[in-house]
Amino acid sequence: MFNLDNTCLARDNDITVKTKAWRRAKASKFNIVASEPSDTNYYAGVGIADITGPAAEVNMMGYANPAQTSHGIHLRQFSRAFIFSTSATGKRIVFISIDACWASGAVKREVVKKLEEKYGKIYTVRNLVISGTHTHSGSGGFSQYLLYDITALGFNRQGFEALVAGIVQSVIMAHNSVQPANIYLNSGELLESNINRSPSAYLNNPKEERDMYKYNVDKLMTVLKIVDAKGKGMGMISWFAVHCTSMNNTNHLLSSDNKGYASMLFEAEMNDNALPGQGPFVAAFAQSNEGDVSPNTKGPHCIDSGKPCDILTSTCHGKNELCIAFGPGKDMFESTQIIGTNQFKKAMDLYNSATVKAIGPVDFRHSYIDMTKQNVTLPDGSVGYTCKTSMGYSFAAGTTDGPGAFDFKQGTNSTNPFWNLIRDLIKDPSEELVKCQAPKPILLATGEISVPYTWQPEIVDNQLLRIGNFLIIAVPGEFSTMSGRRMRNAVRAAAIQGGMPATTNAVIAGLANEYADYITTFEEYQIQRYEGASTIYGPHTLSAFIQSYFHLASALAKNVSSPAGPSPPDLSGKQISLLPGVIFDTPPLGKHFGSLVKDADATYTLGSTVTVEFVSANPRNDLMTNRTFLSVEKKSNQGLWSVIYTDSYWETRYQWIDENILLGESNARISWDIPNNQAEGVYRIRHFGTSKSILGKYTKFTGATREFEVKASAH
């Protein structure tokens, strides 16, 4: 539980206003929601907006599986923004959680550019954090670095622009809703929702360190509760370490995975079941140090025998493709639902029971760091160095959440002549790089390749946000469990040494501002599991990050500035895309767009599923941002139709089916799982889309099923 010392830090003096006229003038300039002075310690605003990318033909980011391309929507994806300040016109910080694999530096740069055009220097790279939930079922191709866009066939501008526009819109909404508020903090243990997927690497950490912790993953959920001057809920942020890989690499529907589902449940509860993304209350289930943490709680088993996999290599009969982790549900949809519901229930409990009121400054520190050129002092007094980037052999093996291919295995500490030959066709790593990265056997010497442009980042954001005695450690990658623990301890120690109270607490906000892959401990790196092989700056990566964040925390606590550091490159002018565009759409002979291929039955019972199909067009023609490709509608006694479900809901699925790529023919299959508590009555399903003619003209269309009845039973 949090034990913030409410006596050590006084409320900022400028929150107390002299006159109503002065206050309203300031509020107008900063778009403050007008209200009378009240017993509040902060100002806060919240916002939400759609960031869903192309629902067809674009590779999904996360599993690096070229065959996993989008073909519809399971759950829409959102950006959730939170603004905090101690006064109407004072220093602000922004925390943004996005339903995406991570937040790329290119996305942040463009977001800040657009916000500065609108608001000047209120929101900058230094006080704004964008953190990804790490769903592996979102559109890829939004990084400026080549390696992360390869499976997406390069940069995808449509998805990139959808991300930027949605994030900006969520911040605008938060900016326009800023008002006097109070913030409460709470934390508690959530069990049966995450496991360590690389336990052999974790066990290589010192025993005395492991003995300090009950579990080999973090079970603690931290919740930040935001209420207005009257005590009405405005928003909530939860941090809990678990991969968004409940939806596996066979999925082809865009999805926000377990954390997105948790957000939808929380927002529905607080917004009286308003349509997703439409209510005033915003709930973010943000990511933390999930690097070695899986939601697939049944653990890895051999899919041919059901027996446990080899713990060191995650293989079955020497093959990593046969070792896959599942659970806790019967399929990936039920598993997503269970892990999401677990997070929702725990967060709601912590939200409702939060009594520790935050008080004190709102502040931030930020520096850009060239992670390939860091020197660190090691425990024995010697000096260690970070390296140019590289990926190890075990990177190609994948994880038990999504195995790789060929004969790669996790835990590989030696090279293979055949794969070395293939590697050397791209770039033979230098002796210096091999020595620096040891014991990692290098598969891709990314830091020594510059064609056609940079493969992985060298310069990354290091950033801290402060709300009273609570610190948000925004890190540009995936910290393992023990790496996150060491980072939190170091930051907290630096803050306390700098003058913050002993009750200071901190959370890791992962995958923030840029993606520098994984960050393991030195000891975990030696085992070269997937996470160690993907620790791109070498064995001293964690030490370098801790050193940097220690300085940031010290500067923040002592209220001194931190160096800006070297700016990362802008590679927007060098991006390549090999993904073909939509050429044209055509309906089958005798049909038109929106025509029914399969109509609804006349009657359905509660708990059954409606599945219908329409003649459709490529959804890349129009992303339907803040709209929907489908609606389930109910007819009133007066004959009026009201929308009950859209493609944002758990109960619906929109699947795009490419029937004939040469002729441009495609269908939309829409399903609705009727809840057991659904109101009886008359319903219909509608489909919305946009077609593209061979001349390049875009035309909107709609289609509708027959009216059908939903009954409690067939009798």
Side-chain angles (χ1 to χ4, degrees):
M1 301 292 289
F2 279 88
N3 295 302
L4 299 178
D5 185 350
N6 292 343
T7 64
C8 59
L9 290 172
R11 182 179 174 187
D12 283 5
N13 292 332
D14 55 0
I15 292 180
T16 305
V17 295
K18 301 299 183 182
T19 65
K20 293 181 181 179
W22 182 91
R23 183 178 182 278
R24 285 170 180 158
K26 289 289 186 181
S28 176
K29 179 180 178 182
F30 280 77
N31 280 9
I32 306 299
V33 176
S35 64
E36 297 302 313
S38 59
D39 183 22
T40 56
N41 293 336
Y42 295 96
Y43 280 71
V46 301
I48 185 171
D50 188 2
I51 58 170
T52 309
E57 303 174 316
V58 176
N59 185 249
M60 292 179 171
M61 177 57 69
Y63 290 114
N65 180 358
Q68 190 190 14
T69 54
S70 56
H71 281 79
I73 294 176
H74 171 229
L75 296 173
R76 277 195 177 263
Q77 296 158 297
F78 293 94
S79 170
R80 295 173 171 88
F82 304 83
I83 296 174
F84 303 100
S85 181
T86 53
S87 67
T89 59
K91 185 183 298 183
R92 293 185 173 187
I93 60 172
V94 189
F95 180 81
I96 306 164
S97 178
I98 58 174
D99 291 328
C101 201
W102 67 75
S104 77
V107 166
K108 180 175 179 178
R109 180 177 60 244
E110 192 65 19
V111 165
V112 169
K113 175 184 175 183
K114 292 183 179 297
L115 290 174
E116 288 185 342
E117 289 171 356
K118 187 173 181 66
Y119 299 118
K121 293 298 182 181
I122 296 178
Y123 308 113
T124 70
V125 295
R126 295 177 67 81
N127 70 346
L128 179 145
V129 168
I130 308 176
S131 171
T133 62
H134 207 41
T135 174
H136 284 41
S137 295
S139 295
F142 54 82
S143 174
Q144 69 170 359
Y145 295 105
L146 182 68
L147 182 65
Y148 308 132
D149 290 347
I150 286 177
T151 56
L153 300 181
F155 186 74
N156 185 273
R157 182 158 298 281
Q158 186 181 38
F160 176 87
E161 291 178 350
L163 266 174
V164 170
I167 295 170
V168 169
Q169 183 58 38
S170 70
V171 176
I172 291 173
M173 292 178 66
H175 179 90
N176 291 338
S177 72
V178 169
Q179 59 188 289
N182 278 313
I183 297 169
Y184 297 85
L185 294 160
N186 204 357
S187 63
E189 208 173 68
L190 173 58
L191 303 179
E192 299 180 355
S193 300
N194 58 358
I195 63 171
N196 196 304
R197 69 185 189 188
S198 287
S200 60
Y202 180 88
L203 287 171
N204 207 45
N205 290 306
K207 184 179 185 302
E208 58 271 22
E209 182 179 33
R210 289 185 280 112
D211 287 346
M212 295 167 59
Y213 304 97
K214 186 176 180 180
Y215 304 104
N216 63 1
V217 295
D218 283 343
K219 301 288 187 180
L220 196 71
M221 175 182 284
T222 298
V223 161
L224 185 151
K225 173 182 179 178
I226 311 162
V227 300
D228 66 14
K230 296 180 180 179
K232 182 180 179 181
M234 295 174 59
M236 185 281 303
I237 310 173
S238 157
W239 288 273
F240 180 71
V242 64
H243 255 81
C244 273
T245 50
S246 293
M247 301 295 289
N248 62 41
N249 62 9
T250 67
N251 171 51
H252 290 276
L253 303 180
L254 296 177
S255 174
S256 52
D257 211 284
N258 57 65
K259 286 187 176 290
Y261 181 59
S263 287
M264 291 180 59
L265 290 175
F266 207 112
E267 288 164 352
E269 182 78 15
M270 301 301 289
N271 290 322
D272 195 25
N273 289 312
L275 294 176
Q278 300 299 311
F281 190 98
V282 179
F285 282 76
Q287 195 52 269
S288 193
N289 52 315
E290 47 52 76
D292 53 358
V293 187
S294 170
N296 297 306
T297 53
K298 289 181 181 177
H301 291 81
C302 300
I303 58 175
D304 60 343
S305 67
K307 295 180 179 180
C309 308
D310 177 76
I311 191 172
L312 297 179
T313 62
S314 294
T315 58
C316 302
H317 325 298
K319 295 183 177 296
N320 72 318
E321 298 95 328
L322 298 177
C323 177
I324 302 177
F326 294 101
K330 65 180 184 293
D331 58 28
M332 61 181 169
F333 292 98
E334 187 177 63
S335 293
T336 299
Q337 194 169 31
I338 292 171
I339 300 299
T341 300
N342 288 353
Q343 291 179 77
F344 156 68
K345 287 181 176 179
K346 188 62 184 181
M348 182 62 76
D349 175 63
L350 293 171
Y351 179 91
N352 288 331
S353 61
T355 58
V356 178
K357 194 174 183 179
I359 188 168
V362 165
D363 208 347
F364 58 87
R365 289 297 182 274
H366 174 281
S367 289
Y368 286 119
I369 302 294
D370 188 337
M371 281 297 297
T372 67
K373 299 177 180 178
Q374 299 300 304
N375 303 335
V376 295
T377 301
L378 303 177
D380 63 0
S382 62
V383 177
Y385 303 91
T386 56
C387 320
K388 290 184 178 180
T389 61
S390 75
M391 305 297 287
Y393 265 57
S394 294
F395 149 74
T399 72
T400 54
D401 290 333
F406 306 106
D407 60 348
F408 292 102
K409 300 176 181 64
Q410 293 200 64
T412 299
N413 279 296
S414 59
T415 60
N416 174 291
F418 173 77
W419 290 114
N420 282 354
L421 177 63
I422 301 299
R423 174 200 68 188
D424 294 350
L425 292 176
I426 303 173
K427 174 67 175 69
D428 180 13
S430 66
E431 290 185 12
E432 179 185 5
L433 184 61
V434 170
K435 181 180 179 181
C436 186
Q437 290 275 354
K440 177 194 291 180
I442 296 174
L443 182 64
L444 291 173
T446 54
E448 297 182 332
I449 310 173
S450 58
V451 177
Y453 47 90
T454 308
W455 282 47
Q456 288 182 295
E458 298 174 349
I459 299 169
V460 296
D461 300 64
N462 288 192
Q463 192 170 15
L464 292 176
L465 301 182
R466 177 182 182 181
I467 304 172
N469 302 332
F470 179 61
L471 300 177
I472 300 171
I473 309 168
V475 297
E478 304 184 59
F479 276 56
S480 69
T481 298
M482 194 62 84
S483 291
R485 290 167 175 171
R486 291 184 189 177
M487 174 64 82
R488 287 197 304 265
N489 292 341
V491 166
R492 185 173 176 274
I496 293 171
Q497 290 173 22
M500 289 182 66
T503 52
T504 296
N505 282 276
V507 294
I508 300 289
L511 302 125
N513 303 320
E514 186 52 274
Y515 187 62
D517 264 278
Y518 284 76
I519 299 90
T520 62
T521 68
F522 176 86
E523 294 84 358
E524 291 165 348
Y525 186 90
Q526 308 306 308
I527 304 302
Q528 280 298 293
R529 294 274 297 175
Y530 174 85
E531 295 81 13
S534 303
T535 296
I536 61 178
Y537 305 114
H540 302 301
T541 296
L542 175 61
S543 295
F545 271 120
I546 287 177
Q547 178 175 272
S548 173
Y549 279 87
F550 188 94
H551 293 323
L552 285 181
S554 180
L556 182 61
K558 295 175 182 178
N559 197 28
V560 298
S561 63
S562 57
S567 296
D570 181 352
L571 303 177
S572 56
K574 298 184 177 182
Q575 298 304 302
I576 296 171
S577 178
L578 302 178
L579 180 69
V582 179
I583 301 175
F584 62 88
D585 302 286
T586 57
L589 187 64
K591 298 280 188 177
H592 59 82
F593 294 111
S595 291
L596 281 161
V597 177
K598 182 183 184 299
D599 202 352
D601 295 337
T603 305
Y604 294 89
T605 58
L606 300 181
S608 63
T609 299
V610 184
T611 301
V612 297
E613 199 164 315
F614 297 88
V615 174
S616 192
N618 196 307
R620 283 200 284 154
N621 295 330
D622 185 345
L623 302 185
M624 292 291 184
T625 303
N626 295 314
R627 292 171 289 151
T628 181
F629 286 103
L630 69 91
S631 64
V632 178
E633 303 173 4
K634 188 176 187 296
K635 192 176 186 179
S636 70
N637 293 333
Q638 294 74 37
L640 301 177
W641 292 98
S642 58
V643 175
I644 308 299
Y645 297 98
T646 67
D647 62 13
S648 298
Y649 280 85
W650 178 268
E651 291 82 0
T652 62
R653 294 179 196 172
Y654 158 63
Q655 182 181 1
W656 180 72
I657 303 169
D658 185 3
E659 293 287 341
N660 190 321
I661 190 170
L662 295 178
L663 297 179
E665 295 179 1
S666 63
N667 290 346
R669 182 176 297 153
I670 295 170
S671 63
W672 172 38
D673 294 331
I674 305 173
N676 290 322
N677 62 350
Q678 186 67 43
E680 296 182 87
V682 177
Y683 292 82
R684 70 179 181 186
I685 293 176
R686 290 209 291 165
H687 169 48
F688 308 91
T690 300
S691 64
K692 180 182 180 181
S693 73
I694 197 168
L695 298 177
K697 180 182 178 181
Y698 293 94
T699 305
K700 297 183 183 301
F701 65 85
T702 62
T705 66
R706 67 194 295 180
E707 297 180 10
F708 57 89
E709 192 172 3
V710 173
K711 297 181 177 181
S713 65
H715 303 291

